[in-house]
PDB file of all heavy atoms in Angstrom:
ATOM      1  N   HIS N 276      79.302  -9.893-164.517  1.00 71.00           N
ATOM      2  CA  HIS N 276      79.348  -9.605-163.066  1.00 71.00           C
ATOM      3  C   HIS N 276      78.043  -8.854-162.736  1.00 71.00           C
ATOM      4  O   HIS N 276      77.817  -7.706-163.090  1.00 71.00           O
ATOM      5  CB  HIS N 276      80.489  -8.710-162.721  1.00 71.00           C
ATOM      6  CG  HIS N 276      81.828  -9.304-163.056  1.00 71.00           C
ATOM      7  ND1 HIS N 276      82.278 -10.438-162.385  1.00 71.00           N
ATOM      8  CD2 HIS N 276      82.744  -8.999-164.021  1.00 71.00           C
ATOM      9  CE1 HIS N 276      83.474 -10.766-162.909  1.00 71.00           C
ATOM     10  NE2 HIS N 276      83.752  -9.931-163.853  1.00 71.00           N
ATOM     11  N   LEU N 277      77.116  -9.516-162.012  1.00 79.00           N
ATOM     12  CA  LEU N 277      75.873  -8.908-161.602  1.00 79.00           C
ATOM     13  C   LEU N 277      76.132  -8.016-160.411  1.00 79.00           C
ATOM     14  O   LEU N 277      76.943  -8.379-159.554  1.00 79.00           O
ATOM     15  CB  LEU N 277      74.868  -9.999-161.266  1.00 79.00           C
ATOM     16  CG  LEU N 277      74.315 -10.905-162.334  1.00 79.00           C
ATOM     17  CD1 LEU N 277      73.295 -11.863-161.751  1.00 79.00           C
ATOM     18  CD2 LEU N 277      73.708 -10.121-163.534  1.00 79.00           C
ATOM     19  N   PRO N 278      75.344  -6.892-160.309  1.00 83.00           N
ATOM     20  CA  PRO N 278      75.430  -6.116-159.144  1.00 83.00           C
ATOM     21  C   PRO N 278      75.116  -6.998-157.864  1.00 83.00           C
ATOM     22  O   PRO N 278      74.235  -7.925-157.961  1.00 83.00           O
ATOM     23  CB  PRO N 278      74.362  -5.042-159.309  1.00 83.00           C
ATOM     24  CG  PRO N 278      74.239  -4.971-160.841  1.00 83.00           C
ATOM     25  CD  PRO N 278      74.473  -6.337-161.270  1.00 83.00           C
ATOM     26  N   ALA N 279      75.764  -6.793-156.713  1.00 86.00           N
ATOM     27  CA  ALA N 279      75.623  -7.585-155.649  1.00 86.00           C
ATOM     28  C   ALA N 279      74.175  -7.768-155.136  1.00 86.00           C
ATOM     29  O   ALA N 279      73.723  -8.804-154.767  1.00 86.00           O
ATOM     30  CB  ALA N 279      76.512  -7.090-154.462  1.00 86.00           C
ATOM     31  N   PRO N 280      73.372  -6.652-155.107  1.00 90.00           N
ATOM     32  CA  PRO N 280      72.021  -6.801-154.651  1.00 90.00           C
ATOM     33  C   PRO N 280      71.220  -7.698-155.616  1.00 90.00           C
ATOM     34  O   PRO N 280      70.368  -8.511-155.129  1.00 90.00           O
ATOM     35  CB  PRO N 280      71.449  -5.367-154.684  1.00 90.00           C
ATOM     36  CG  PRO N 280      72.662  -4.454-154.458  1.00 90.00           C
ATOM     37  CD  PRO N 280      73.690  -5.214-155.221  1.00 90.00           C
ATOM     38  N   LEU N 281      71.501  -7.569-156.872  1.00 92.00           N
ATOM     39  CA  LEU N 281      70.746  -8.418-157.820  1.00 92.00           C
ATOM     40  C   LEU N 281      71.179  -9.897-157.695  1.00 92.00           C
ATOM     41  O   LEU N 281      70.350 -10.788-157.735  1.00 92.00           O
ATOM     42  CB  LEU N 281      70.918  -7.907-159.235  1.00 92.00           C
ATOM     43  CG  LEU N 281      70.301  -8.817-160.371  1.00 92.00           C
ATOM     44  CD1 LEU N 281      68.858  -8.991-160.182  1.00 92.00           C
ATOM     45  CD2 LEU N 281      70.623  -8.210-161.759  1.00 92.00           C
ATOM     46  N   ARG N 282      72.446 -10.128-157.548  1.00 91.00           N
ATOM     47  CA  ARG N 282      72.999 -11.473-157.357  1.00 91.00           C
ATOM     48  C   ARG N 282      72.345 -12.137-156.133  1.00 91.00           C
ATOM     49  O   ARG N 282      71.981 -13.257-156.153  1.00 91.00           O
ATOM     50  CB  ARG N 282      74.495 -11.418-157.265  1.00 91.00           C
ATOM     51  CG  ARG N 282      75.148 -12.758-156.822  1.00 91.00           C
ATOM     52  CD  ARG N 282      74.728 -13.990-157.586  1.00 91.00           C
ATOM     53  NE  ARG N 282      75.121 -13.839-158.992  1.00 91.00           N
ATOM     54  CZ  ARG N 282      74.611 -14.628-159.944  1.00 91.00           C
ATOM     55  NH1 ARG N 282      73.696 -15.526-159.644  1.00 91.00           N
ATOM     56  NH2 ARG N 282      74.980 -14.475-161.176  1.00 91.00           N
ATOM     57  N   ALA N 283      72.264 -11.304-155.057  1.00 93.00           N
ATOM     58  CA  ALA N 283      71.655 -11.844-153.817  1.00 93.00           C
ATOM     59  C   ALA N 283      70.163 -12.200-154.043  1.00 93.00           C
ATOM     60  O   ALA N 283      69.711 -13.261-153.596  1.00 93.00           O
ATOM     61  CB  ALA N 283      71.800 -10.831-152.725  1.00 93.00           C
ATOM     62  N   PHE N 284      69.471 -11.411-154.783  1.00 96.00           N
ATOM     63  CA  PHE N 284      68.019 -11.636-155.040  1.00 96.00           C
ATOM     64  C   PHE N 284      67.899 -12.842-155.992  1.00 96.00           C
ATOM     65  O   PHE N 284      67.015 -13.720-155.771  1.00 96.00           O
ATOM     66  CB  PHE N 284      67.396 -10.433-155.731  1.00 96.00           C
ATOM     67  CG  PHE N 284      65.940 -10.505-155.798  1.00 96.00           C
ATOM     68  CD1 PHE N 284      65.119 -10.360-154.702  1.00 96.00           C
ATOM     69  CD2 PHE N 284      65.272 -10.725-157.083  1.00 96.00           C
ATOM     70  CE1 PHE N 284      63.721 -10.495-154.770  1.00 96.00           C
ATOM     71  CE2 PHE N 284      63.911 -10.770-157.163  1.00 96.00           C
ATOM     72  CZ  PHE N 284      63.161 -10.680-156.027  1.00 96.00           C
ATOM     73  N   VAL N 285      68.744 -13.039-157.002  1.00 94.00           N
ATOM     74  CA  VAL N 285      68.663 -14.131-157.917  1.00 94.00           C
ATOM     75  C   VAL N 285      68.943 -15.419-157.118  1.00 94.00           C
ATOM     76  O   VAL N 285      68.149 -16.424-157.225  1.00 94.00           O
ATOM     77  CB  VAL N 285      69.708 -13.959-159.042  1.00 94.00           C
ATOM     78  CG1 VAL N 285      69.817 -15.321-159.827  1.00 94.00           C
ATOM     79  CG2 VAL N 285      69.272 -12.849-160.006  1.00 94.00           C
ATOM     80  N   ASP N 286      69.909 -15.469-156.307  1.00 93.00           N
ATOM     81  CA  ASP N 286      70.234 -16.589-155.464  1.00 93.00           C
ATOM     82  C   ASP N 286      69.089 -16.924-154.526  1.00 93.00           C
ATOM     83  O   ASP N 286      68.757 -18.080-154.296  1.00 93.00           O
ATOM     84  CB  ASP N 286      71.538 -16.407-154.690  1.00 93.00           C
ATOM     85  CG  ASP N 286      72.745 -16.369-155.613  1.00 93.00           C
ATOM     86  OD1 ASP N 286      72.634 -16.817-156.797  1.00 93.00           O
ATOM     87  OD2 ASP N 286      73.803 -15.904-155.225  1.00 93.00           O
ATOM     88  N   PHE N 287      68.495 -15.878-153.928  1.00 95.00           N
ATOM     89  CA  PHE N 287      67.373 -16.077-152.997  1.00 95.00           C
ATOM     90  C   PHE N 287      66.220 -16.723-153.672  1.00 95.00           C
ATOM     91  O   PHE N 287      65.562 -17.664-153.174  1.00 95.00           O
ATOM     92  CB  PHE N 287      67.000 -14.669-152.414  1.00 95.00           C
ATOM     93  CG  PHE N 287      66.048 -14.786-151.239  1.00 95.00           C
ATOM     94  CD1 PHE N 287      66.470 -15.024-149.934  1.00 95.00           C
ATOM     95  CD2 PHE N 287      64.696 -14.709-151.453  1.00 95.00           C
ATOM     96  CE1 PHE N 287      65.578 -15.082-148.876  1.00 95.00           C
ATOM     97  CE2 PHE N 287      63.772 -14.769-150.432  1.00 95.00           C
ATOM     98  CZ  PHE N 287      64.233 -14.998-149.133  1.00 95.00           C
ATOM     99  N   VAL N 288      65.883 -16.191-154.880  1.00 94.00           N
ATOM    100  CA  VAL N 288      64.749 -16.750-155.640  1.00 94.00           C
ATOM    101  C   VAL N 288      65.015 -18.155-156.037  1.00 94.00           C
ATOM    102  O   VAL N 288      64.092 -19.042-155.962  1.00 94.00           O
ATOM    103  CB  VAL N 288      64.437 -15.850-156.850  1.00 94.00           C
ATOM    104  CG1 VAL N 288      63.496 -16.566-157.857  1.00 94.00           C
ATOM    105  CG2 VAL N 288      63.992 -14.501-156.436  1.00 94.00           C
ATOM    106  N   LYS N 289      66.203 -18.505-156.404  1.00 92.00           N
ATOM    107  CA  LYS N 289      66.567 -19.851-156.893  1.00 92.00           C
ATOM    108  C   LYS N 289      66.430 -20.831-155.712  1.00 92.00           C
ATOM    109  O   LYS N 289      66.031 -21.985-155.929  1.00 92.00           O
ATOM    110  CB  LYS N 289      67.993 -19.888-157.411  1.00 92.00           C
ATOM    111  CG  LYS N 289      68.130 -19.275-158.812  1.00 92.00           C
ATOM    112  CD  LYS N 289      69.595 -19.433-159.275  1.00 92.00           C
ATOM    113  CE  LYS N 289      69.714 -18.875-160.730  1.00 92.00           C
ATOM    114  NZ  LYS N 289      71.161 -18.983-161.190  1.00 92.00           N
ATOM    115  N   GLU N 290      66.840 -20.392-154.532  1.00 90.00           N
ATOM    116  CA  GLU N 290      66.783 -21.270-153.390  1.00 90.00           C
ATOM    117  C   GLU N 290      65.404 -21.353-152.721  1.00 90.00           C
ATOM    118  O   GLU N 290      65.162 -22.373-151.964  1.00 90.00           O
ATOM    119  CB  GLU N 290      67.851 -20.815-152.345  1.00 90.00           C
ATOM    120  CG  GLU N 290      69.246 -20.881-152.817  1.00 90.00           C
ATOM    121  CD  GLU N 290      70.236 -20.232-151.876  1.00 90.00           C
ATOM    122  OE1 GLU N 290      69.763 -19.706-150.881  1.00 90.00           O
ATOM    123  OE2 GLU N 290      71.421 -20.128-152.236  1.00 90.00           O
ATOM    124  N   ALA N 291      64.540 -20.384-152.913  1.00 82.00           N
ATOM    125  CA  ALA N 291      63.276 -20.399-152.314  1.00 82.00           C
ATOM    126  C   ALA N 291      62.339 -21.512-152.939  1.00 82.00           C
ATOM    127  O   ALA N 291      62.339 -21.706-154.153  1.00 82.00           O
ATOM    128  CB  ALA N 291      62.553 -19.093-152.463  1.00 82.00           C
ATOM    129  N   PRO N 292      61.602 -22.224-152.113  1.00 75.00           N
ATOM    130  CA  PRO N 292      60.718 -23.263-152.683  1.00 75.00           C
ATOM    131  C   PRO N 292      59.613 -22.585-153.467  1.00 75.00           C
ATOM    132  O   PRO N 292      59.050 -21.573-153.000  1.00 75.00           O
ATOM    133  CB  PRO N 292      60.160 -24.017-151.425  1.00 75.00           C
ATOM    134  CG  PRO N 292      60.303 -22.965-150.269  1.00 75.00           C
ATOM    135  CD  PRO N 292      61.598 -22.217-150.627  1.00 75.00           C
ATOM    136  N   ALA N 293      59.325 -23.113-154.604  1.00 65.00           N
ATOM    137  CA  ALA N 293      58.311 -22.521-155.558  1.00 65.00           C
ATOM    138  C   ALA N 293      56.913 -22.808-154.945  1.00 65.00           C
ATOM    139  O   ALA N 293      56.598 -23.953-154.626  1.00 65.00           O
ATOM    140  CB  ALA N 293      58.415 -23.030-156.888  1.00 65.00           C
TER     141      ALA N 293
END
Side-chain angles (χ1 to χ4, degrees):
H276 301 292
L277 292 182
L281 176 56
R282 169 52 62 194
F284 189 72
V285 168
D286 291 342
F287 188 86
V288 168
K289 285 181 176 179
E290 294 170 4

